[in-house]
Amino acid sequence: MRLIDLFNTLKSRDQMAQLAADLARRSQADVSATIGSRVQRMGIAEARGYVRARARGVLESHLDVLLRQPNLFKPGLRATLIEDALERTIIWVVGQKLKTEPVRQQRLAA
């Protein structure tokens, strides 16, 4: 691989990561509205699966809006972008869930 090809690949990955982060950030309010407080009663693994299933449609609709902007990125990378944004969304939701749990966990440990 030539150095310029490596540079372009790395630049492309950075752009994709940036786009996925932006997509996840733009979708947070709609994802929250979609999942509600249901994940608070779930274990971590169950919450991850639930968010993955419910947030996918929200992320896809937000991505469709972004895709209307010409030359944003190659359409073939749509699935990769959705998966990356989905992982970021799951991390965010589970992080929010864990922020409310330490008090409960401390009570159980006592």
PDB file of all heavy atoms in Angstrom, residues 38-62:
ATOM      1  N   ARG A  38     -37.768   2.505  29.808  1.00  0.00           N
ATOM      2  CA  ARG A  38     -37.823   1.041  29.879  1.00  0.00           C
ATOM      3  C   ARG A  38     -36.486   0.403  30.232  1.00  0.00           C
ATOM      4  O   ARG A  38     -36.443  -0.593  30.941  1.00  0.00           O
ATOM      5  CB  ARG A  38     -38.333   0.470  28.560  1.00  0.00           C
ATOM      6  CG  ARG A  38     -39.785   0.781  28.301  1.00  0.00           C
ATOM      7  CD  ARG A  38     -40.205   0.275  26.922  1.00  0.00           C
ATOM      8  NE  ARG A  38     -41.369   0.983  26.465  1.00  0.00           N
ATOM      9  CZ  ARG A  38     -41.336   2.040  25.667  1.00  0.00           C
ATOM     10  NH1 ARG A  38     -40.206   2.500  25.214  1.00  0.00           N
ATOM     11  NH2 ARG A  38     -42.451   2.642  25.312  1.00  0.00           N
ATOM     12  N   VAL A  39     -35.383   0.974  29.726  1.00  0.00           N
ATOM     13  CA  VAL A  39     -34.078   0.351  29.954  1.00  0.00           C
ATOM     14  C   VAL A  39     -33.656   0.409  31.422  1.00  0.00           C
ATOM     15  O   VAL A  39     -32.798  -0.360  31.843  1.00  0.00           O
ATOM     16  CB  VAL A  39     -32.969   0.959  29.066  1.00  0.00           C
ATOM     17  CG1 VAL A  39     -33.223   0.683  27.613  1.00  0.00           C
ATOM     18  CG2 VAL A  39     -32.785   2.427  29.321  1.00  0.00           C
ATOM     19  N   GLN A  40     -34.260   1.294  32.207  1.00  0.00           N
ATOM     20  CA  GLN A  40     -33.885   1.398  33.618  1.00  0.00           C
ATOM     21  C   GLN A  40     -34.211   0.120  34.391  1.00  0.00           C
ATOM     22  O   GLN A  40     -33.565  -0.186  35.381  1.00  0.00           O
ATOM     23  CB  GLN A  40     -34.568   2.607  34.272  1.00  0.00           C
ATOM     24  CG  GLN A  40     -34.122   3.936  33.704  1.00  0.00           C
ATOM     25  CD  GLN A  40     -32.616   4.147  33.787  1.00  0.00           C
ATOM     26  OE1 GLN A  40     -31.959   3.738  34.747  1.00  0.00           O
ATOM     27  NE2 GLN A  40     -32.060   4.762  32.765  1.00  0.00           N
ATOM     28  N   ARG A  41     -35.184  -0.624  33.919  1.00  0.00           N
ATOM     29  CA  ARG A  41     -35.584  -1.869  34.599  1.00  0.00           C
ATOM     30  C   ARG A  41     -34.858  -3.093  34.048  1.00  0.00           C
ATOM     31  O   ARG A  41     -35.096  -4.201  34.509  1.00  0.00           O
ATOM     32  CB  ARG A  41     -37.090  -2.052  34.464  1.00  0.00           C
ATOM     33  CG  ARG A  41     -37.909  -0.964  35.145  1.00  0.00           C
ATOM     34  CD  ARG A  41     -39.396  -1.228  35.022  1.00  0.00           C
ATOM     35  NE  ARG A  41     -39.877  -1.242  33.649  1.00  0.00           N
ATOM     36  CZ  ARG A  41     -40.290  -0.175  32.972  1.00  0.00           C
ATOM     37  NH1 ARG A  41     -40.254   1.009  33.525  1.00  0.00           N
ATOM     38  NH2 ARG A  41     -40.723  -0.281  31.735  1.00  0.00           N
ATOM     39  N   MET A  42     -33.977  -2.893  33.078  1.00  0.00           N
ATOM     40  CA  MET A  42     -33.304  -4.014  32.406  1.00  0.00           C
ATOM     41  C   MET A  42     -31.871  -4.156  32.892  1.00  0.00           C
ATOM     42  O   MET A  42     -31.262  -3.208  33.358  1.00  0.00           O
ATOM     43  CB  MET A  42     -33.277  -3.769  30.892  1.00  0.00           C
ATOM     44  CG  MET A  42     -34.624  -3.675  30.247  1.00  0.00           C
ATOM     45  SD  MET A  42     -34.427  -3.279  28.488  1.00  0.00           S
ATOM     46  CE  MET A  42     -36.119  -3.081  28.008  1.00  0.00           C
ATOM     47  N   GLY A  43     -31.355  -5.369  32.721  1.00  0.00           N
ATOM     48  CA  GLY A  43     -29.941  -5.587  32.931  1.00  0.00           C
ATOM     49  C   GLY A  43     -29.165  -4.964  31.771  1.00  0.00           C
ATOM     50  O   GLY A  43     -29.751  -4.574  30.757  1.00  0.00           O
ATOM     51  N   ILE A  44     -27.859  -4.894  31.896  1.00  0.00           N
ATOM     52  CA  ILE A  44     -27.026  -4.247  30.876  1.00  0.00           C
ATOM     53  C   ILE A  44     -27.158  -4.942  29.519  1.00  0.00           C
ATOM     54  O   ILE A  44     -27.371  -4.294  28.507  1.00  0.00           O
ATOM     55  CB  ILE A  44     -25.537  -4.208  31.305  1.00  0.00           C
ATOM     56  CG1 ILE A  44     -25.380  -3.420  32.606  1.00  0.00           C
ATOM     57  CG2 ILE A  44     -24.665  -3.629  30.204  1.00  0.00           C
ATOM     58  CD1 ILE A  44     -25.772  -1.969  32.509  1.00  0.00           C
ATOM     59  N   ALA A  45     -27.040  -6.259  29.488  1.00  0.00           N
ATOM     60  CA  ALA A  45     -27.107  -6.983  28.210  1.00  0.00           C
ATOM     61  C   ALA A  45     -28.474  -6.813  27.558  1.00  0.00           C
ATOM     62  O   ALA A  45     -28.568  -6.586  26.346  1.00  0.00           O
ATOM     63  CB  ALA A  45     -26.797  -8.463  28.423  1.00  0.00           C
ATOM     64  N   GLU A  46     -29.514  -6.899  28.354  1.00  0.00           N
ATOM     65  CA  GLU A  46     -30.863  -6.734  27.817  1.00  0.00           C
ATOM     66  C   GLU A  46     -31.065  -5.306  27.303  1.00  0.00           C
ATOM     67  O   GLU A  46     -31.650  -5.093  26.231  1.00  0.00           O
ATOM     68  CB  GLU A  46     -31.897  -7.042  28.899  1.00  0.00           C
ATOM     69  CG  GLU A  46     -33.325  -7.000  28.410  1.00  0.00           C
ATOM     70  CD  GLU A  46     -34.328  -7.287  29.515  1.00  0.00           C
ATOM     71  OE1 GLU A  46     -33.958  -7.341  30.706  1.00  0.00           O
ATOM     72  OE2 GLU A  46     -35.516  -7.448  29.168  1.00  0.00           O
ATOM     73  N   ALA A  47     -30.558  -4.332  28.040  1.00  0.00           N
ATOM     74  CA  ALA A  47     -30.683  -2.928  27.623  1.00  0.00           C
ATOM     75  C   ALA A  47     -29.945  -2.685  26.309  1.00  0.00           C
ATOM     76  O   ALA A  47     -30.446  -1.999  25.420  1.00  0.00           O
ATOM     77  CB  ALA A  47     -30.150  -2.001  28.714  1.00  0.00           C
ATOM     78  N   ARG A  48     -28.748  -3.272  26.180  1.00  0.00           N
ATOM     79  CA  ARG A  48     -27.988  -3.116  24.926  1.00  0.00           C
ATOM     80  C   ARG A  48     -28.778  -3.665  23.740  1.00  0.00           C
ATOM     81  O   ARG A  48     -28.882  -3.029  22.701  1.00  0.00           O
ATOM     82  CB  ARG A  48     -26.640  -3.829  25.013  1.00  0.00           C
ATOM     83  CG  ARG A  48     -25.591  -3.121  25.846  1.00  0.00           C
ATOM     84  CD  ARG A  48     -24.272  -3.880  25.825  1.00  0.00           C
ATOM     85  NE  ARG A  48     -23.757  -4.056  24.476  1.00  0.00           N
ATOM     86  CZ  ARG A  48     -23.018  -3.175  23.811  1.00  0.00           C
ATOM     87  NH1 ARG A  48     -22.701  -2.037  24.371  1.00  0.00           N
ATOM     88  NH2 ARG A  48     -22.592  -3.428  22.588  1.00  0.00           N
ATOM     89  N   GLY A  49     -29.347  -4.832  23.899  1.00  0.00           N
ATOM     90  CA  GLY A  49     -30.124  -5.433  22.819  1.00  0.00           C
ATOM     91  C   GLY A  49     -31.375  -4.636  22.502  1.00  0.00           C
ATOM     92  O   GLY A  49     -31.727  -4.442  21.331  1.00  0.00           O
ATOM     93  N   TYR A  50     -32.030  -4.157  23.536  1.00  0.00           N
ATOM     94  CA  TYR A  50     -33.245  -3.372  23.344  1.00  0.00           C
ATOM     95  C   TYR A  50     -32.928  -2.068  22.609  1.00  0.00           C
ATOM     96  O   TYR A  50     -33.620  -1.706  21.652  1.00  0.00           O
ATOM     97  CB  TYR A  50     -33.882  -3.073  24.706  1.00  0.00           C
ATOM     98  CG  TYR A  50     -35.178  -2.316  24.603  1.00  0.00           C
ATOM     99  CD1 TYR A  50     -36.350  -2.970  24.255  1.00  0.00           C
ATOM    100  CD2 TYR A  50     -35.229  -0.949  24.853  1.00  0.00           C
ATOM    101  CE1 TYR A  50     -37.548  -2.282  24.152  1.00  0.00           C
ATOM    102  CE2 TYR A  50     -36.418  -0.255  24.754  1.00  0.00           C
ATOM    103  CZ  TYR A  50     -37.575  -0.921  24.410  1.00  0.00           C
ATOM    104  OH  TYR A  50     -38.751  -0.241  24.304  1.00  0.00           O
ATOM    105  N   VAL A  51     -31.886  -1.388  23.034  1.00  0.00           N
ATOM    106  CA  VAL A  51     -31.497  -0.125  22.389  1.00  0.00           C
ATOM    107  C   VAL A  51     -31.076  -0.393  20.946  1.00  0.00           C
ATOM    108  O   VAL A  51     -31.446   0.351  20.036  1.00  0.00           O
ATOM    109  CB  VAL A  51     -30.385   0.591  23.175  1.00  0.00           C
ATOM    110  CG1 VAL A  51     -29.854   1.793  22.411  1.00  0.00           C
ATOM    111  CG2 VAL A  51     -30.891   1.018  24.551  1.00  0.00           C
ATOM    112  N   ARG A  52     -30.315  -1.453  20.737  1.00  0.00           N
ATOM    113  CA  ARG A  52     -29.878  -1.796  19.372  1.00  0.00           C
ATOM    114  C   ARG A  52     -31.103  -1.979  18.456  1.00  0.00           C
ATOM    115  O   ARG A  52     -31.143  -1.470  17.343  1.00  0.00           O
ATOM    116  CB  ARG A  52     -29.034  -3.063  19.375  1.00  0.00           C
ATOM    117  CG  ARG A  52     -28.612  -3.530  17.987  1.00  0.00           C
ATOM    118  CD  ARG A  52     -27.686  -4.720  18.051  1.00  0.00           C
ATOM    119  NE  ARG A  52     -26.423  -4.394  18.674  1.00  0.00           N
ATOM    120  CZ  ARG A  52     -25.431  -3.720  18.093  1.00  0.00           C
ATOM    121  NH1 ARG A  52     -25.575  -3.280  16.866  1.00  0.00           N
ATOM    122  NH2 ARG A  52     -24.315  -3.480  18.725  1.00  0.00           N
ATOM    123  N   ALA A  53     -32.111  -2.669  18.934  1.00  0.00           N
ATOM    124  CA  ALA A  53     -33.291  -2.931  18.114  1.00  0.00           C
ATOM    125  C   ALA A  53     -34.129  -1.675  17.899  1.00  0.00           C
ATOM    126  O   ALA A  53     -34.588  -1.411  16.784  1.00  0.00           O
ATOM    127  CB  ALA A  53     -34.149  -4.019  18.765  1.00  0.00           C
ATOM    128  N   ARG A  54     -34.333  -0.899  18.949  1.00  0.00           N
ATOM    129  CA  ARG A  54     -35.227   0.259  18.853  1.00  0.00           C
ATOM    130  C   ARG A  54     -34.565   1.482  18.225  1.00  0.00           C
ATOM    131  O   ARG A  54     -35.223   2.271  17.553  1.00  0.00           O
ATOM    132  CB  ARG A  54     -35.751   0.630  20.252  1.00  0.00           C
ATOM    133  CG  ARG A  54     -36.546  -0.452  20.941  1.00  0.00           C
ATOM    134  CD  ARG A  54     -37.815  -0.748  20.219  1.00  0.00           C
ATOM    135  NE  ARG A  54     -38.607   0.470  20.157  1.00  0.00           N
ATOM    136  CZ  ARG A  54     -39.891   0.553  20.335  1.00  0.00           C
ATOM    137  NH1 ARG A  54     -40.577  -0.538  20.560  1.00  0.00           N
ATOM    138  NH2 ARG A  54     -40.513   1.695  20.255  1.00  0.00           N
ATOM    139  N   ALA A  55     -33.263   1.663  18.443  1.00  0.00           N
ATOM    140  CA  ALA A  55     -32.580   2.870  17.960  1.00  0.00           C
ATOM    141  C   ALA A  55     -32.225   2.792  16.476  1.00  0.00           C
ATOM    142  O   ALA A  55     -32.029   3.827  15.836  1.00  0.00           O
ATOM    143  CB  ALA A  55     -31.322   3.126  18.787  1.00  0.00           C
ATOM    144  N   ARG A  56     -32.122   1.595  15.943  1.00  0.00           N
ATOM    145  CA  ARG A  56     -31.711   1.445  14.539  1.00  0.00           C
ATOM    146  C   ARG A  56     -32.605   2.266  13.599  1.00  0.00           C
ATOM    147  O   ARG A  56     -32.122   2.998  12.748  1.00  0.00           O
ATOM    148  CB  ARG A  56     -31.713  -0.017  14.121  1.00  0.00           C
ATOM    149  CG  ARG A  56     -31.266  -0.221  12.675  1.00  0.00           C
ATOM    150  CD  ARG A  56     -31.195  -1.680  12.297  1.00  0.00           C
ATOM    151  NE  ARG A  56     -30.239  -2.415  13.097  1.00  0.00           N
ATOM    152  CZ  ARG A  56     -28.923  -2.447  12.871  1.00  0.00           C
ATOM    153  NH1 ARG A  56     -28.418  -1.763  11.881  1.00  0.00           N
ATOM    154  NH2 ARG A  56     -28.134  -3.154  13.637  1.00  0.00           N
ATOM    155  N   GLY A  57     -33.908   2.168  13.749  1.00  0.00           N
ATOM    156  CA  GLY A  57     -34.827   2.908  12.877  1.00  0.00           C
ATOM    157  C   GLY A  57     -34.659   4.413  13.009  1.00  0.00           C
ATOM    158  O   GLY A  57     -34.713   5.149  12.015  1.00  0.00           O
ATOM    159  N   VAL A  58     -34.457   4.871  14.227  1.00  0.00           N
ATOM    160  CA  VAL A  58     -34.247   6.306  14.461  1.00  0.00           C
ATOM    161  C   VAL A  58     -32.982   6.769  13.750  1.00  0.00           C
ATOM    162  O   VAL A  58     -32.985   7.789  13.043  1.00  0.00           O
ATOM    163  CB  VAL A  58     -34.160   6.613  15.973  1.00  0.00           C
ATOM    164  CG1 VAL A  58     -33.788   8.066  16.216  1.00  0.00           C
ATOM    165  CG2 VAL A  58     -35.464   6.262  16.672  1.00  0.00           C
ATOM    166  N   LEU A  59     -31.898   6.015  13.922  1.00  0.00           N
ATOM    167  CA  LEU A  59     -30.629   6.381  13.286  1.00  0.00           C
ATOM    168  C   LEU A  59     -30.749   6.347  11.766  1.00  0.00           C
ATOM    169  O   LEU A  59     -30.221   7.227  11.078  1.00  0.00           O
ATOM    170  CB  LEU A  59     -29.509   5.447  13.749  1.00  0.00           C
ATOM    171  CG  LEU A  59     -29.094   5.608  15.209  1.00  0.00           C
ATOM    172  CD1 LEU A  59     -28.197   4.457  15.637  1.00  0.00           C
ATOM    173  CD2 LEU A  59     -28.409   6.937  15.436  1.00  0.00           C
ATOM    174  N   GLU A  60     -31.441   5.354  11.248  1.00  0.00           N
ATOM    175  CA  GLU A  60     -31.603   5.255   9.791  1.00  0.00           C
ATOM    176  C   GLU A  60     -32.385   6.441   9.241  1.00  0.00           C
ATOM    177  O   GLU A  60     -32.036   6.978   8.190  1.00  0.00           O
ATOM    178  CB  GLU A  60     -32.262   3.935   9.421  1.00  0.00           C
ATOM    179  CG  GLU A  60     -31.319   2.758   9.571  1.00  0.00           C
ATOM    180  CD  GLU A  60     -31.967   1.413   9.323  1.00  0.00           C
ATOM    181  OE1 GLU A  60     -33.224   1.331   9.285  1.00  0.00           O
ATOM    182  OE2 GLU A  60     -31.227   0.427   9.176  1.00  0.00           O
ATOM    183  N   SER A  61     -33.419   6.873   9.946  1.00  0.00           N
ATOM    184  CA  SER A  61     -34.185   8.024   9.448  1.00  0.00           C
ATOM    185  C   SER A  61     -33.365   9.309   9.519  1.00  0.00           C
ATOM    186  O   SER A  61     -33.435  10.138   8.611  1.00  0.00           O
ATOM    187  CB  SER A  61     -35.510   8.175  10.198  1.00  0.00           C
ATOM    188  OG  SER A  61     -35.294   8.515  11.541  1.00  0.00           O
ATOM    189  N   HIS A  62     -32.564   9.461  10.564  1.00  0.00           N
ATOM    190  CA  HIS A  62     -31.694  10.632  10.651  1.00  0.00           C
ATOM    191  C   HIS A  62     -30.618  10.584   9.565  1.00  0.00           C
ATOM    192  O   HIS A  62     -30.266  11.617   8.993  1.00  0.00           O
ATOM    193  CB  HIS A  62     -31.048  10.733  12.036  1.00  0.00           C
ATOM    194  CG  HIS A  62     -31.944  11.336  13.058  1.00  0.00           C
ATOM    195  ND1 HIS A  62     -31.844  12.634  13.462  1.00  0.00           N
ATOM    196  CD2 HIS A  62     -32.981  10.808  13.750  1.00  0.00           C
ATOM    197  CE1 HIS A  62     -32.775  12.894  14.361  1.00  0.00           C
ATOM    198  NE2 HIS A  62     -33.472  11.793  14.555  1.00  0.00           N
TER     199      HIS A  62
END
